[in-house]
Amino acid sequence: MSNKMNQFQGSNDYVVTDELMHAVNVAIALQKPLLIKGEPGTGKTMLAESISEALKKDLIIWNIKSTTKAQDGLYVYDTVQRLYDSQFGEGDVAEIKKYIKLGKLGEAFAADEQVVLLIDEIDKADLEFPNDLLWELDKMEFYINETKETIRTKHRPIVIITSNAEKELPDAFLRRCIFHYIEFPNQEKMEEIVRVHFGDVEQKLLTQAMETFYWIREMKEIQKKPSTSELLDWLQALMISGISIDRIKAEIPYAGVLLKKNQDIDTMYEIKEKGYSLKRWL
């Protein structure tokens, strides 16, 4: 990895493990997309933001939906606007190029400087979507039929692709990526993450909240386990409210900040009432 300028070492607001840092730098050096998997709330999207900040490069985000097609990321030909202009005499409709709008992938290819491109939650799209991207991600170019023009990348973007593992991705696609799975942080790493966001949080409050948080995550009956983002929101709620620290484990206040389903909240309180205490976390 000869280019020291493109060495990622984390950023001020993102705690990165050595393994993740190495995965990012290998992907940059080999000029391959980095595929990041992990459960929601483990910082997959924030990783791209951190890389952008640390390397001082613009970030382009392509949010994938169930209806997204690979073509959407390249360009869109606005036929409706052209028809409107032809009917009402607005401008020169013969100039097709002005009706071509680049998608997020097209923007990354055409950028004058290297950018970080985040393809977020690729597993939301249909099964053909990743394969449809293979050619463009390999060759870093695409053809615009309407203008008979080939768009070639000026500076190969740093491509970060995230997946919540909702569905399997094609083998051909996986072979072209560097892969890293972000494990859910243990308590020690989580405290480090919390301290980045709330450096002045009282240690006793943090300890009580962390023990409660991991106790809830251990419940097999919980359908949607609270993530890092929910813990941070809960801590902020506890600090703002000024609630007595002794009440945190006894009452688990503001449970709706941690758990987002009624049945999960009910389940948690039911288990607590049955006497499954927090003492093993002490």
Side-chain angles (χ1 to χ4, degrees), residues 6 8 23-32 51 55 114 158:
N6 272 0
F8 175 65
V24 171
N25 288 322
V26 166
I28 292 173
L30 298 182
Q31 297 187 329
K32 287 180 175 289
I51 294 170
L55 301 184
Q114 186 183 46
I158 298 170

Side-chain angles (χ1 to χ4, degrees), residues 190-203 206:
M190 184 64 83
E191 182 167 344
E192 188 178 346
I193 292 170
V194 169
R195 290 290 181 189
V196 167
H197 296 271
F198 305 117
D200 58 347
V201 61
E202 187 179 344
Q203 183 59 49
L206 178 58

Side-chain angles (χ1 to χ4, degrees), residues 7-263:
Q7 286 283 298
F8 175 65
Q9 297 179 318
S11 60
N12 292 333
D13 58 356
Y14 190 87
V15 176
V16 62
T17 63
D18 289 343
E19 293 81 5
L20 178 53
M21 182 176 64
H22 293 326
V24 171
N25 288 322
V26 166
I28 292 173
L30 298 182
Q31 297 187 329
K32 287 180 175 289
L34 175 61
L35 174 62
I36 297 291
K37 285 189 177 182
E39 66 176 87
T42 49
K44 300 186 297 297
T45 301
M46 286 183 63
L47 172 64
E49 298 170 354
S50 176
I51 294 170
S52 169
E53 176 190 338
L55 301 184
K56 295 180 172 54
K57 297 182 183 297
D58 289 340
L59 174 64
I60 295 176
I61 301 176
W62 186 10
N63 292 305
I64 306 303
K65 302 176 182 178
S66 60
T67 56
T68 302
K69 304 297 181 186
Q71 176 64 36
D72 301 337
L74 301 176
Y75 74 94
V76 175
Y77 173 39
D78 194 345
T79 54
V80 174
Q81 185 62 50
R82 190 181 183 209
L83 177 62
Y84 178 90
D85 289 349
S86 67
Q87 290 177 335
F88 296 97
E90 298 290 335
D92 183 8
V93 295
E95 189 182 347
I96 297 178
K97 191 170 184 177
K98 73 177 185 178
Y99 299 103
I100 300 294
K101 181 180 179 181
L102 293 179
K104 298 299 184 180
L105 197 57
E107 288 179 20
F109 286 6
D112 291 328
E113 297 182 356
Q114 186 183 46
V115 301
V116 177
L117 171 65
L118 170 62
I119 303 176
D120 204 20
E121 298 189 333
I122 193 172
D123 51 329
K124 281 188 175 180
D126 64 42
L127 291 174
E128 293 304 313
F129 177 81
N131 283 334
D132 291 343
L133 283 180
L134 287 179
W135 173 265
E136 285 77 19
L137 290 178
D138 275 350
K139 302 300 181 182
M140 287 287 162
E141 65 179 42
F142 63 93
Y143 184 69
I144 300 179
N145 289 310
E146 290 77 9
T147 61
K148 312 301 181 190
E149 169 185 26
T150 298
I151 301 296
R152 293 185 177 87
T153 182
K154 298 178 181 178
H155 302 278
R156 193 178 187 95
I158 298 170
V159 181
I160 309 298
I161 303 172
T162 71
S163 169
N164 289 328
E166 292 181 4
K167 62 171 69 99
E168 289 298 321
L169 298 172
D171 289 343
F173 181 81
L174 294 174
R175 283 195 295 270
R176 287 165 170 80
C177 298
I178 303 298
F179 172 76
H180 183 81
Y181 184 88
I182 298 182
E183 298 282 354
F184 196 84
N186 58 26
Q187 290 196 52
E188 182 181 357
K189 180 60 69 174
M190 184 64 83
E191 182 167 344
E192 188 178 346
I193 292 170
V194 169
R195 290 290 181 189
V196 167
H197 296 271
F198 305 117
D200 58 347
V201 61
E202 187 179 344
Q203 183 59 49
K204 186 178 178 182
L205 183 150
L206 178 58
T207 299
Q208 298 279 311
M210 292 270 284
E211 289 173 357
T212 306
F213 172 76
Y214 279 95
W215 173 73
I216 293 172
R217 280 188 57 85
E218 282 287 301
M219 294 179 185
K220 295 178 181 179
E221 298 85 352
I222 297 296
Q223 295 179 32
K224 187 181 184 305
K225 297 181 185 297
S227 67
T228 306
S229 58
E230 274 91 34
L231 173 61
L232 294 174
D233 288 344
W234 191 49
L235 281 167
Q236 189 169 22
L238 293 173
M239 289 188 290
I240 290 173
S241 69
I243 193 167
S244 170
I245 293 174
D246 295 332
R247 293 174 56 192
I248 294 175
K249 282 197 277 190
E251 300 176 14
I252 313 181
Y254 315 117
V257 179
L258 284 172
L259 299 170
K260 304 304 172 68
K261 293 188 174 185
N262 287 339
Q263 56 266 45

